[in-house]
Amino acid sequence: MFRTALRNVLAHKARLLMTVLAVMLGVAFVSGTLVFTNTISDAFQNSSAKGFDQVDVAVTPKSQRDTGNTINKTPELTKAQLDTAAKVPGASNAIGVVTGFTAIADKDGKLIGGGFQSQGGNYWGDKDPRYPLTSGTAPHGKDQVAIDAETAKRAGYKVGDTIRISVDGPVLTPRITGIFTTDDGNVAAGGSLALYDTATAQTLFGKPGTFDEIDVKAASGTSQAALKSALDKALPAKLVETETGKKLADDQAEQIASSMSGLKQGLLVFAGIALFVGTFIIANTFTMLVAQRTKELALLRAVGASRRQVTRSVLIEAFVVGVVAGVTGLVAGIGIGAGLRSLMNSFGATVPDGPLVISPGTVVAALLVGVVITMLAAWLPGRRAAKIPPVAAMSSVHAKATTKSLVLRNTLGALFSGAGIATVLAATTMDGSTGQAPMGLGAVLLIIGVFILTPLLSRPLIAATAPVLRIFGISGKLARQNSVRNPRRTAATASALMIGLTLITGMTVVAGSLQKSIDKMASAAISADYIISMANGNELSTDVDRKLESTAGVAATSPLRNSPSRIDGTTEYLTGVNGAAIGELTDLKVDSGSFKVGGDQVVVDDDTAKSYGWKAGSDFTVHYEDGKAQRLTVAGVYEGNELIRGIMLDNKVLTPHLTDPGDMQILVKTADGASSATKDKLEKALGTNPAIKVQSKQDLSDDIAQIFTLMLNMLYGLLAMAVIVAVLGVINTLAMSVFERSQEIGMLRAIGLDRKSIKRMVRLESLVISLFGGVLGIGLGVFFGWAAGELLGAKMATYELVLPWTRMAIFLLLAATVGILAALWPARRAAKMNMLAAIKSE
């Protein structure tokens, strides 16, 4: 039986190749994902470990807990503590570290890197061991700066060039005195790092005479643990805490691994989808293989082979296919992993150098996935074949499914579908967070149910194409009959495409609806023409608002100034605004009272008011950041959203209680309205500062749209793998169907059907099956998109379902294209068949 199984595998090389390809693509995706994420994770971990080479023990300030109603901030480290750390027994030297945000403009004045990765710091002395210079010298004074080599390379800067930078105030134009290398993860991720001398860095980052961290290097022969112990004794335990460089490196490596696990899981989900689709194709392939060899298997049974031996022979074939697919998929996956890494670099997402990581776990996973998936897919057809009595198989009376089996299948499918729809509908009535798991379960149940019901659904849906197929004459009629002749085969083939299009359509519906809701939110909540903010999300200097107020053409401004406070023993953030102008700059719906901000009058969003039991006219006591208390009155309750919410009070009341005022955003209304000329005027008024973003409401929406578009494009790219697998499935099914119908095709040729008509028949059959899968996929995708929107709508008042008709038409066209392309080879093969040889074939 073993030799028979091997002979069957090798005797049908074309079928073997198609099956191997279907499995290989899924395996390649899994192994490629593991290779890629392991390589990136290892590279970042090695890079972070190098970053702690000069740190044996790090001293950081200890966060102070809130005491009573006073809001305490984390203190900075002092020069005295630095001197103490440098003199403890076992310390070789100590470096005071200062960090902050620094935006660097390229030669066109645009911000280099993402705002959150634009960092600044201090260069220690003339030769900082943390940042080896590749050219130039250390910076000295406020007119000098050193930048990292990656930023210099990307922007084309060299030593001696003057650059435009900004911290949080006016634009500075220092000269580059040095270029250095660094293992900083932010730079590796595409950000930038600018270094000043220590005194300049402390001044620029608002930390005169203080440090964010003290890095201590151990003397020769002193362990990190011994140095940590000595520092713990010398420094005040209430104010500082210490940690060894090894522990910091291990913690960062763990954080990197944790952050990479999300990416890995996301990619593995899509690999699973490709395998899920591939499983249908493999099962379909083995079902057809077994069906075509029914007489052969019956003969084996007649000469003494047991049911178990027949099933085992099919599983041996699957094992051989799985091993071949697993090995080739692993090799392809290694190539995919290397390609994804290169792709990241080409997109500007810099990754630290490091070897390609192929772990034993990746190899085992690839082989297990290839073998297990293939054998599971082949088990049911093999078991079904073994159950057929030899006499019945040899006389082909087994061909049609019994009424009992069809009733059982349809009942099971209806139960799964009903349970899935009921669970999804129930999830839409739940809270956004609690409804996610039930909705996922319902989606899985519904997809399984529809898959089981697909043979039943295929007849009416394919019958609906009859009027169109009549245009193609006898070829169209035969194509329709062939499509419904074996509903199970048609269902398995169409289901592969259905799953891919379900996911693509559902994600497109959600993304389009979210974008529409963001547009509505921006237009409904904000009547200002522009929103000014920092590129990294930090606070703006209060000078920015003063400059805008004095700019010609600016009609009104209001800074949004955040500050922590204590209300009824709970920390609550206040938003300071320009009370006289905020009503003109926003268009928030007021549920009760009036939108009046000034003096002790405040307005509160509906969620906050509900949590405290407030209404218009309610009084409450607030304890500000400096510990002082004041009685405030709720003038009105407004409908909050994701852009504007919270307790609003006048900045004239709030600012005196702040030690370091800063604005998260500034709303600006201009006399001429939003236009490119007005935007240019505002940017120039702020010194063409790379750190400051000037955005209209449309710019704000476009930024969010760009995120959705990027995510969708990534998802489309990943789901393309499932579509490719589906294409292979259609090709496989048609090729085997053509082989199975050799006699029939020969007879059709003999009675006058020409080669062109044979080709058209096979192509139309493929087109009908693909469109059937496409219609099911798009229908399910719209349903899931609507259901997910209902969950989102509970948290987003402006959410509105948007059906992307144009994209759905494109998806249907894609399904048709898949069908036409998949039929090229089988149609050509059918047309080339010798009619006499085909008629005589078994």
Side-chain angles (χ1 to χ4, degrees):
M1 293 302 294
F2 181 74
R3 287 197 300 271
T4 302
L6 289 180
R7 180 184 60 78
N8 284 326
V9 171
L10 298 173
H12 305 96
K13 295 182 178 61
R15 293 191 313 215
L16 171 66
L17 178 64
M18 295 299 294
T19 311
V20 165
L21 275 173
V23 186
M24 185 199 76
L25 280 171
V27 174
F29 209 163
V30 171
S31 55
T33 295
L34 294 174
V35 168
F36 171 67
T37 52
N38 287 341
T39 298
I40 301 301
S41 181
D42 186 70
F44 276 112
Q45 286 177 17
N46 290 338
S47 175
S48 70
K50 288 179 185 176
F52 290 102
D53 283 349
Q54 299 301 320
V55 183
D56 285 319
V57 178
V59 181
T60 53
K62 183 177 287 185
S63 299
Q64 304 298 305
R65 293 185 178 180
D66 293 350
T67 55
N69 290 309
T70 303
I71 309 298
N72 293 309
K73 291 189 174 181
T74 301
E76 276 92 16
L77 300 169
T78 64
K79 177 71 164 57
Q81 290 167 339
L82 172 65
D83 293 340
T84 302
K87 293 174 183 176
V88 299
S92 171
N93 62 67
I95 294 174
V97 179
V98 185
T99 58
F101 169 70
T102 297
I104 304 178
D106 60 20
K107 293 185 177 181
D108 296 324
K110 303 298 182 183
L111 177 67
I112 295 175
F116 290 98
Q117 288 81 39
S118 302
Q119 298 296 317
N122 66 314
Y123 193 92
W124 190 256
D126 292 321
K127 191 174 181 181
D128 193 328
R130 300 171 299 167
Y131 307 111
L133 290 168
T134 58
S135 60
T137 58
H140 292 287
K142 63 180 182 179
D143 295 326
Q144 295 187 3
V145 70
I147 65 172
D148 68 272
E150 287 297 325
T151 298
K153 181 181 176 182
R154 286 199 298 270
Y157 284 131
K158 59 184 185 298
V159 172
D161 287 347
T162 297
I163 63 171
R164 294 172 61 81
I165 63 172
S166 174
V167 178
D168 66 350
V171 174
L172 305 174
T173 54
R175 182 173 59 87
I176 299 173
T177 61
I179 294 173
F180 59 88
T181 58
T182 177
D183 293 308
D184 189 289
N186 286 318
V187 174
S192 61
L193 180 61
L195 300 179
Y196 321 89
D197 67 67
T198 301
T200 302
Q202 289 173 328
T203 303
L204 287 174
F205 301 137
K207 302 165 185 173
T210 62
F211 304 94
D212 296 301
E213 185 177 310
I214 297 172
D215 293 342
V216 187
K217 185 73 176 170
S220 179
T222 303
S223 68
Q224 290 186 352
L227 179 59
K228 181 182 185 300
S229 178
L231 287 165
D232 286 340
K233 292 176 183 176
L235 295 170
K238 289 184 178 179
L239 298 178
V240 304
E241 50 192 0
T242 61
E243 198 58 81
T244 63
K246 183 180 184 307
K247 179 68 166 55
L248 291 172
D250 291 343
D251 289 347
Q252 188 158 328
E254 190 176 327
Q255 287 176 4
I256 291 169
S258 176
S259 63
M260 291 302 295
S261 69
L263 174 64
K264 184 186 291 187
Q265 288 170 7
L267 290 171
L268 284 173
V269 165
F270 290 99
I273 292 166
L275 279 175
F276 190 48
V277 173
T279 302
F280 290 136
I281 294 165
I282 300 160
N284 199 21
T285 300
F286 274 97
T287 299
M288 294 176 70
L289 286 172
V290 170
Q292 290 170 9
R293 289 167 35 217
T294 302
K295 287 188 179 181
E296 176 190 324
L297 295 174
L299 186 60
L300 289 173
R301 290 287 312 281
V303 297
S306 66
R307 287 184 178 182
R308 184 173 295 176
Q309 284 178 311
V310 169
T311 304
R312 194 182 301 146
S313 71
V314 175
L315 290 177
I316 289 169
E317 288 183 50
F319 176 79
V320 173
V321 169
V323 169
V324 173
V327 172
T328 53
L330 174 62
V331 174
I334 293 169
I336 288 172
L340 284 172
R341 176 174 171 166
S342 300
L343 196 63
M344 281 188 71
N345 287 329
S346 67
F347 283 161
T350 310
V351 178
D353 292 332
L356 203 64
V357 178
I358 307 163
S359 67
T362 301
V363 176
V364 172
L367 292 175
L368 277 178
V369 165
V371 173
V372 172
I373 292 293
T374 308
M375 291 186 72
L376 283 175
W379 175 74
L380 189 59
R383 187 169 172 271
R384 192 183 297 138
K387 280 187 172 182
I388 299 169
V391 175
M394 294 180 79
S395 61
S396 297
V397 298
H398 68 287
K400 291 187 178 180
T402 63
T403 304
K404 182 181 176 182
S405 70
L406 290 174
V407 169
L408 179 63
R409 180 184 180 115
N410 293 338
T411 303
L412 194 62
L415 289 173
F416 268 98
S417 299
I421 291 171
T423 307
V424 169
L425 291 176
T428 60
T429 63
M430 299 178 185
D431 181 72
S433 54
T434 57
Q436 290 176 6
M439 184 165 289
L441 174 64
V444 171
L445 289 174
L446 181 53
I447 287 176
I448 293 172
V450 171
F451 171 68
I452 296 172
L453 285 176
T454 310
L456 180 67
L457 297 173
S458 65
R459 289 188 178 277
L461 288 177
I462 291 175
T465 64
V468 178
L469 292 175
R470 283 197 195 101
I471 300 170
F472 300 95
I474 190 65
S475 296
K477 184 178 180 181
L478 290 170
R480 184 179 63 80
Q481 290 174 347
N482 290 332
S483 301
V484 295
R485 178 186 296 178
N486 191 332
R488 285 184 175 179
R489 181 193 303 163
T490 298
T493 307
S495 295
L497 196 57
M498 176 192 79
I499 293 167
L501 285 178
T502 295
L503 292 165
I504 290 173
T505 305
M507 289 169 183
T508 304
V509 168
V510 171
S513 301
L514 277 173
Q515 182 55 46
K516 179 73 172 177
S517 69
I518 294 294
D519 289 343
K520 282 179 66 179
M521 188 186 300
S523 60
I526 300 172
S527 54
D529 296 317
Y530 290 97
I531 301 98
I532 316 295
S533 62
M534 286 286 282
N536 67 334
N538 282 354
E539 292 183 341
L540 289 157
S541 166
T542 53
D543 291 336
V544 175
D545 184 48
R546 286 193 285 270
K547 285 184 179 178
L548 289 168
E549 282 182 330
S550 60
T551 302
V554 172
T557 69
S558 176
L560 303 183
R561 192 165 295 168
N562 284 4
S563 171
S565 71
R566 302 285 286 186
I567 300 174
D568 294 343
T570 304
T571 299
E572 197 75 54
Y573 277 83
L574 306 174
T575 301
V577 298
N578 180 347
I582 191 65
E584 185 183 351
L585 295 165
T586 58
D587 190 16
L588 296 164
K589 182 183 176 183
V590 179
D591 292 337
S592 63
S594 60
F595 200 83
K596 181 182 178 182
V597 180
D600 62 354
Q601 300 284 303
V602 302
V603 292
V604 184
D605 73 284
D606 46 3
D607 287 340
T608 304
K610 185 178 179 182
S611 66
Y612 285 99
W614 295 337
K615 56 186 178 181
S618 297
D619 292 330
F620 64 93
T621 301
V622 62
H623 293 268
Y624 295 109
E625 182 183 322
D626 59 0
K628 293 181 180 178
Q630 184 179 359
R631 196 75 178 163
L632 299 175
T633 301
V634 178
V637 177
Y638 67 91
E639 195 174 287
N641 56 54
E642 281 69 20
L643 294 179
I644 299 178
R645 63 172 66 243
I647 303 170
M648 289 189 204
L649 71 164
D650 199 305
N651 273 323
K652 292 175 183 176
V653 177
L654 177 64
T655 305
H657 299 286
L658 306 182
T659 53
D660 185 20
D663 303 326
M664 294 305 296
Q665 292 177 324
I666 300 174
L667 303 181
V668 180
K669 195 168 188 65
T670 60
D672 299 329
S675 67
S676 57
T678 304
K679 185 176 180 179
D680 288 343
K681 185 194 291 184
L682 293 177
E683 287 178 341
K684 286 176 182 175
L686 298 174
T688 318
N689 194 322
I692 298 175
K693 291 196 295 186
V694 179
Q695 294 181 296
S696 65
K697 287 186 285 187
Q698 188 59 50
D699 293 334
L700 199 64
S701 294
D702 289 346
D703 266 5
I704 298 168
Q706 191 174 6
I707 296 170
F708 288 141
T709 303
L710 179 63
M711 289 173 60
L712 269 182
N713 288 340
M714 288 177 64
L715 294 174
Y716 288 162
L718 292 168
L719 288 170
M721 184 69 74
V723 175
I724 291 170
V725 175
V727 172
L728 285 174
V730 178
I731 296 172
N732 218 1
T733 300
L734 287 174
M736 297 179 124
S737 179
V738 166
F739 176 80
E740 192 178 77
R741 300 189 334 244
S742 295
Q743 279 188 334
E744 177 187 317
I745 292 170
M747 288 297 295
L748 289 171
R749 289 289 315 284
I751 60 174
L753 202 65
D754 59 13
R755 289 185 174 180
K756 188 176 180 182
S757 298
I758 292 288
K759 280 185 181 180
R760 187 182 298 126
M761 176 188 75
V762 176
R763 286 172 185 163
L764 289 173
E765 180 183 347
S766 175
L767 180 63
V768 166
I769 292 173
S770 296
L771 285 174
F772 170 53
V775 168
L776 284 180
I778 291 170
L780 282 173
V782 169
F783 176 69
F784 290 140
W786 165 81
E790 289 296 299
L791 273 184
L792 292 168
K795 292 287 186 182
M796 191 177 289
T798 56
Y799 187 86
E800 177 186 337
L801 180 67
V802 175
L803 294 181
W805 294 107
T806 304
R807 291 207 177 190
M808 288 194 293
I810 292 171
F811 296 156
L812 201 59
L813 186 62
L814 172 68
T817 306
V818 164
I820 292 168
L821 292 177
L824 291 178
W825 178 60
R828 188 165 173 270
R829 182 183 176 190
K832 278 190 159 188
M833 235 178 244
N834 182 292
M835 67 179 76
L836 295 177
I839 291 170
K840 290 192 293 181
S841 66
E842 288 282 331

